[in-house]
Amino acid sequence: MATIRFTRNIQRHVECPVREVSGATLGEVLDAYFRDNERARGYVLDEQGKIRQHMVVFIDGELVRDRDGLSDPVESKSIIDVIQALSGGNE
Amino acid sequence: MSDRCYLATRKGLFTVDRRVSKWSISRATFIGDNVTLVMHDSRNGNLFAALNHGHFGIKVHRSTNGGETWDEITAPQYPPMPEGYVPKPLPFFNKPLDWALKLIWGLAPGGADQPGLIWCGTMPGGLFKSENNGASWELNRPLWDHPKREEWGPNGAEWPGIHSICVDPRDSRHVSIGVSTGGVWITKDAGKSWTQTGGGMRAEYYPAEQQGDPNVQDVHCLVQCAANPEVFWVQHHNGIFRSTDGARSWTEIKDVKPSVFGFPVAVHPHDPNTAWFVPSTKDEKRCPTDGRVVVNRTRDGGKTFETLRQGLPQEYAYDLVYRHGLDVDESGNRLVFGSTTGSVWISENGGDSWQTVSSNLPPVYAVRFVKP
């Protein structure tokens, strides 16, 4: 199972504890996580399921390539980090 | 008369209360967060705050106890694009429009006979309706699917948006909206069908032959007189316009000093001939003329204007007031406006004189009186 970790800054708005979830792609892993935490889904993905413009996701330290389709492969021991981009602060 | 108003700012939401005759801030909420809009629903006292978290997207919070506590509720969501649909490229930018919420730009309660109904205007151009006090939202498809909606242009932002929503006090099914950039649209059947108006408006930022096209009019703010709903006022990108026939046709009000440029307009709730504007020098110089903050008031339907300045800074002031940054209370006597440099002023005599509430707030995006 992959481990998914979220930026500390998101916790102020919606609690996102570290969890191990299964899935073969980023989309499957995130979907498994958000099924039990629907409110968090809208903080990371937009309503079309794309990674929000100013959010970034790493899989084992590599930036995710398919930000719209979330098709990047995930290994059983992968570590996924969901963090905010330096952009997006609006000032 | 209203004794409370709310200020939505870049760094939080502030409550301002009148104590004896002095107005002061009594509460600060969402400190550090970008609160882009606030709405008070006089039908049940509910408050709505729209937040733009930048990274985490657009959120809506609601308070049912006058702002003491807040709960995050569902934000409007754009639906998936239909299979095989190819959106038209956005004018000027030549790129397709993203069907995703970018900004909540207008909030308005429905009529007194529509409990729980709330209209929400957004970027990139969708009008949403909730029938359950914001618990869920639905995109108005007749307007969204209108072929002319795809021709709406961007404004200062990258996307077109709906910022002004006027529910006719005579008939709640009759709603008029202002679009930047996309003119004025009217429904008389609660959103089942829409008609574009705007005859008489003029877009001087377009080639001469297209300046009269209703769909390219950059309406900055649209307001309707409660006592005479046939009368509308518009602060437009290049001027001031007035309609006396229910927003069907428009007359330009010219030669207003110091300027016809600005964002907000407020109309007196009992007198359709009285309206207030906060002028800036011009499009490419968006600050008060000669560094003097003034409010322009007409009391004769735009034939003449008084430039009101008592209590306002008259040197080295560069405050810009956004489209939701001015409000008038239900009496027509009390006004509030807030600026990009964090100043807020209130008048209790129709704008004749002003008291400073603060000069140190974050940039102010919206001010709204609590109305009975």
Side-chain angles (χ1 to χ4, degrees):
Chain A
M1 294 224 281
T3 301
I4 180 160
R5 312 185 292 203
F6 288 82
T7 169
R8 201 176 54 200
N9 296 303
I10 204 172
Q11 315 289 344
R12 182 163 75 86
H13 305 291
V14 52
E15 202 178 334
C16 294
V18 176
R19 272 185 55 202
E20 292 190 345
V21 283
S22 55
T25 65
L26 177 65
E28 288 177 16
V29 168
L30 286 178
D31 198 49
Y33 188 95
F34 292 141
R35 265 202 297 275
D36 297 327
N37 191 352
E38 271 301 327
R39 205 159 71 85
R41 186 189 298 271
Y43 278 72
V44 178
L45 308 177
D46 72 13
E47 56 261 63
Q48 307 302 343
K50 302 174 184 176
I51 297 174
R52 288 197 174 280
Q53 185 184 1
H54 300 297
M55 294 296 284
V56 289
V57 179
F58 291 87
I59 301 174
D60 297 322
E62 295 283 330
L63 261 178
V64 161
R65 294 206 179 96
D66 184 8
R67 294 176 55 89
D68 293 356
L70 314 183
S71 64
D72 290 41
V74 171
E75 307 294 330
S76 62
K77 295 287 180 195
S78 285
I79 298 208
I80 296 166
D81 284 301
V82 180
I83 62 178
Q84 69 223 98
L86 280 174
S87 61
N90 286 335
E91 57 192 345
Chain B
M1 276 186 279
S2 184
D3 289 330
R4 170 173 280 193
C5 62
Y6 292 97
L7 317 173
T9 80
R10 179 67 182 80
K11 304 286 181 189
L13 178 72
F14 299 87
T15 306
V16 177
D17 284 323
R18 184 177 193 270
R19 295 194 176 99
V20 193
S21 62
K22 185 173 162 41
W23 293 77
S24 54
I25 295 167
S26 58
R27 182 184 283 137
T29 318
F30 302 116
I31 286 304
D33 290 331
N34 183 5
V35 185
T36 57
L37 196 57
V38 59
M39 184 196 94
H40 173 257
D41 187 341
S42 60
R43 298 168 303 176
N44 54 18
N46 283 354
L47 281 170
F48 291 78
L51 276 65
N52 181 357
H53 285 309
H55 301 94
F56 306 128
I58 310 297
K59 311 298 173 194
V60 184
H61 292 250
R62 182 179 62 196
S63 173
T64 56
N65 53 16
E68 277 179 46
T69 58
W70 293 81
D71 292 306
E72 185 180 334
I73 58 172
T74 309
Q77 293 191 347
Y78 282 73
M81 282 189 198
E83 200 73 36
Y85 166 77
V86 181
K88 265 191 182 177
L90 195 61
F92 303 111
F93 288 135
N94 202 31
K95 66 177 187 183
L97 197 77
D98 207 9
W99 285 29
L101 181 65
K102 306 295 186 188
L103 187 71
I104 289 176
W105 215 16
L107 280 168
D113 58 337
Q114 299 171 315
L117 192 151
I118 297 162
W119 294 101
C120 176
T122 68
M123 287 183 190
L127 179 70
F128 289 81
K129 184 172 80 172
S130 171
E131 293 185 327
N132 48 22
N133 290 307
S136 62
W137 300 91
E138 187 181 2
L139 177 68
N140 181 275
R141 291 306 297 239
L143 184 60
W144 184 249
D145 294 333
H146 197 291
K148 283 204 170 296
R149 191 276 305 165
E150 283 197 304
E151 295 169 10
W152 290 355
N155 39 68
E158 284 179 59
W159 315 280
I162 297 167
H163 47 70
S164 299
I165 303 163
C166 305
V167 177
D168 195 303
R170 300 164 299 187
D171 178 358
S172 304
R173 294 167 300 179
H174 181 176
V175 179
S176 308
I177 63 167
V179 186
S180 176
T181 294
V184 176
W185 292 72
I186 294 174
T187 179
K188 293 195 170 177
D189 52 16
K192 293 189 187 75
S193 63
W194 292 87
T195 308
Q196 183 167 50
T197 69
M201 285 192 184
R202 177 180 67 87
E204 70 181 27
Y205 41 85
Y206 258 76
E209 295 74 18
Q210 293 161 265
Q211 290 191 353
D213 181 348
N215 217 26
V216 305
Q217 303 304 324
D218 186 3
V219 174
H220 281 182
C221 188
L222 167 77
V223 292
Q224 182 176 25
C225 177
N228 184 348
E230 290 295 298
V231 174
F232 285 79
W233 289 86
V234 156
Q235 174 67 65
H236 180 286
H237 191 80
N238 54 254
I240 293 169
F241 295 86
R242 179 172 181 256
S243 170
T244 57
D245 60 3
R248 282 186 289 278
S249 67
W250 296 85
T251 303
E252 185 167 7
I253 313 279
K254 294 180 178 170
D255 301 323
V256 181
K257 302 295 177 202
S259 159
V260 294
F261 183 84
F263 288 96
V265 50
V267 59
H268 196 295
H270 309 303
D271 176 11
N273 287 325
T274 295
W276 296 265
F277 300 82
V278 187
S280 284
T281 305
K282 54 182 176 174
D283 175 20
E284 63 274 31
K285 200 179 268 194
R286 298 180 180 188
C287 52
T289 304
D290 299 329
R292 297 179 174 130
V293 176
V294 299
V295 171
N296 266 352
R297 178 179 65 196
T298 177
R299 288 164 140 170
D300 54 13
K303 291 189 190 74
T304 61
F305 283 79
E306 302 160 84
T307 299
L308 311 169
R309 56 181 87 238
Q310 192 181 330
L312 301 174
Q314 295 302 297
E315 60 176 6
Y316 303 113
Y318 302 98
D319 301 71
L320 179 66
V321 177
Y322 287 146
R323 72 199 73 229
H324 298 302
L326 167 70
D327 196 21
V328 59
D329 82 342
E330 78 286 356
S331 73
N333 293 325
R334 294 186 174 169
L335 292 116
V336 56
F337 72 106
S339 78
T340 50
T341 42
S343 294
V344 175
W345 298 279
I346 287 182
S347 171
E348 298 194 336
N349 49 21
D352 287 338
S353 63
W354 298 85
Q355 61 169 271
T356 302
V357 177
S358 177
S359 308
N360 305 294
L361 286 171
V364 176
Y365 294 141
V367 299
R368 285 295 175 263
F369 277 114
V370 169
K371 296 173 191 175

